[in-house]
Amino acid sequence: VRGVHNWALGHEEVVDCRVGIHTGECVGGIVGANMQRYHLFGAMMAQVELLESTAPSGEVQTSTSYVEALEAELEDRRVRGCDDDIRFE
């Protein structure tokens, strides 16, 4: 979000950015005949879209499952002694 904001300022553009973060299973694949693109499918994607669409402007909104997964990962890194490279700004 900060990078988009800084880019917009540098280009004298007005850009609104919202982010939704979730964790879970999904399926991805290439769709389209003339204009092919990679697309993700699954119930998780509906949750991500809801998080993104309801996030306050310029903010990141996360799901409970993402927070739980992040906390588990951070604890695992702490236990293994690998937490010195983690920074939150």
Side-chain angles (χ1 to χ4, degrees):
V1 173
R2 183 179 298 143
V4 169
H5 177 74
N6 292 339
W7 178 90
L9 287 176
H11 290 82
E12 297 180 358
E13 296 285 341
V14 177
V15 177
D16 187 26
C17 182
R18 292 186 280 208
V19 177
I21 301 176
H22 182 59
T23 185
E25 295 183 8
C26 67
V27 175
I30 298 173
V31 297
N34 296 326
M35 188 174 145
Q36 297 174 346
R37 61 194 181 281
Y38 192 77
H39 191 77
L40 299 173
F41 303 91
M44 181 190 82
M45 297 313 299
Q47 179 68 25
V48 170
E49 291 169 8
L50 178 65
L51 287 166
E52 182 273 328
S53 66
T54 59
S57 178
E59 299 285 329
V60 176
Q61 184 163 257
T62 62
S63 69
T64 302
S65 62
Y66 169 76
V67 172
E68 291 169 355
L70 178 61
E71 288 172 345
E73 174 68 21
L74 294 175
E75 177 61 17
D76 183 58
R77 285 174 174 248
R78 187 191 66 74
V79 168
R80 291 184 289 129
C82 304
D83 61 348
D84 59 339
D85 62 338
I86 301 172
R87 293 184 308 254
F88 293 96
E89 298 177 11

